[in-house]
Amino acid sequence: MDHPPLPMPPGWPARIRALAAGELSPPTPKPSATVVLLREGAGGPEAYLLRRRTSMAFAAGMYAYPGGGVDPRDAEAAPAWAGPSPAVWAERLGTDPATATAVVCAAVRETFEEAGVLLAGPDADSVVEPRDWTAERAALEAHELSFAEFLTEHGLVLRSDLLGGWARWVTPEFEERRFDTWFFVAALPSGQSAASTVGEADRVAWLSPAEAVAGYAEGRYGMLPPTVSVLRELVAARSPQDALAAARSRTVRPVLGRAEVAGDRMTVRWPGYEELTIDGEFPI
C-alpha cells in the first residue's frame, strides 16, 4: 500500500445521510482549472506544489497545484490564442468550445497569478522574456483587468500548446463546497522561474512525483485525492516533455466520488480509483 487509510472527514456522514434521504440539494460545482507545473530535476521531473495556508476556507494545510476558479471574464473575451483551437480543446476536455476557452484561459491565468509563470509569448513560437510582473499579477488577482486585456496590452498570445490536458475531478455531491476541476500539465518555460512565495501558501516545494507520493504515504504531505492521484500517474514520466506527450493520449473524463449508505455503514468510491475508497461504520 502506497497511501495511508483515508479517514472520513467529520462533516461528511451527516451530509451523506441527508443527500441519501433527499434532504440535501447538491451545490452546483464551480468550473476550475489547475496546472501541474513540471521542471527538469536531477532524477527526472519535479512538480511545483503549494501548501495552502491553514486559514484558507478550502483545503487548508493541503499541498496543491497553482489553480482556481474560472473567472466570468475568462469567458467574456477570448484572448489572442496560439496552439490547439478551442474546438480541439473542447473535444479533449469533454466540454463545449466556450467552456474550453474559459478553462484553458483560467489555467494559464492562475499559473501566472500564483506561480508567476506565464505560458504566453509574442507569437506562436516563443515565450515571453522574464521580467517583473508583480503589478500585473496583483491587478489580475484583484480583478482589475481580465487576462485577455492583460495579454492584449502587452502584445502577447496565450500558448495553449504548452498545456496538456490530464484529468477532470468533480467534488462529490454531498460536499458543501464543490468544484469541477480540469487538471493540466505544463513544462516550466526556459528562462522563467516559479515564485518562491505565494500569498495563499505558507510553503512552496519542487518535488518529484515519487517523492511527493511517498511523503503523502508517510503523512508528511497532506493532499486531497485528486492531487495525489495525478502525482501517482506522473511517476512514470521521465521528463516534463514526456508528461506532455502522455497527456496527448489521455481521455479526460470526469471523476465523481459517490457515497453509499447501508445503516451505519458508509462507503465513498471514486470510479477507477479504488485505492481512494473510504468505508466504515459511522453511527449518528
Side-chain angles (χ1 to χ4, degrees), residues 100 133-134 148 159 171-172 175 197 210-211 242 262:
W133 295 104
T134 303
R159 291 284 307 278
T171 311
E175 282 270 43
T197 58
E211 181 183 1
D242 190 34

Side-chain angles (χ1 to χ4, degrees), residues 71-92:
D71 188 308
R73 286 171 295 185
D74 291 330
E76 288 173 1
W81 193 278
S85 69
V88 171
W89 274 110
E91 184 175 356
R92 289 184 184 177

Side-chain angles (χ1 to χ4, degrees), residues 56-272:
M56 300 297 292
F58 178 75
M62 297 288 183
Y63 280 83
Y65 314 114
V70 171
D71 188 308
R73 286 171 295 185
D74 291 330
E76 288 173 1
W81 193 278
S85 69
V88 171
W89 274 110
E91 184 175 356
R92 289 184 184 177
L93 301 180
T95 187
D96 59 88
T99 300
T101 300
V103 168
V104 170
C105 183
V108 176
R109 174 182 54 76
E110 287 285 346
T111 303
F112 181 52
E113 285 183 20
E114 295 196 351
V117 172
L118 183 52
L119 303 176
D123 53 52
D125 301 311
S126 60
V127 292
V128 68
E129 291 291 328
R131 54 160 285 186
D132 184 359
W133 295 104
T134 303
E136 290 82 359
R137 289 167 60 199
L140 285 165
E141 191 168 1
H143 305 288
E144 295 172 358
L145 79 165
S146 71
F147 195 58
E149 290 168 340
F150 161 74
L151 293 175
T152 299
E153 180 181 339
H154 294 278
L156 300 173
V157 298
L158 184 153
R159 291 284 307 278
S160 81
D161 57 309
L162 298 181
L163 289 172
W166 194 267
R168 178 184 179 185
W169 288 71
V170 184
T171 311
E173 293 180 333
F174 52 80
E175 282 270 43
E176 189 172 0
R177 296 169 63 90
R178 300 189 67 212
F179 300 92
D180 184 353
T181 305
W182 280 266
F183 287 72
F184 297 85
V185 294
L188 179 68
S190 177
Q192 294 194 37
S193 58
S196 58
T197 58
V198 178
E200 294 184 354
D202 60 13
R203 184 189 176 196
V204 301
W206 285 99
L207 301 172
S208 72
E211 181 183 1
V213 170
Y216 168 80
E218 295 163 4
R220 292 185 287 113
Y221 304 131
M223 299 179 201
L224 294 177
T227 305
V228 70
S229 295
V230 169
L231 286 166
R232 287 193 187 110
E233 293 166 345
L234 286 168
V235 166
R238 298 179 302 253
S239 68
Q241 293 304 321
D242 190 34
L244 282 165
R248 288 193 286 271
S249 63
R250 288 180 66 87
T251 301
V252 178
R253 294 192 180 95
V255 179
L256 174 63
R258 294 194 180 277
E260 302 168 5
V261 181
D264 286 339
R265 190 167 202 87
M266 293 187 187
T267 306
V268 183
R269 291 188 175 90
W270 285 262

Side-chain angles (χ1 to χ4, degrees), residues 47-59:
Y48 182 73
L49 290 158
L50 314 171
R51 188 173 66 184
R52 295 170 61 84
R53 294 187 183 277
T54 55
S55 58
M56 300 297 292
F58 178 75

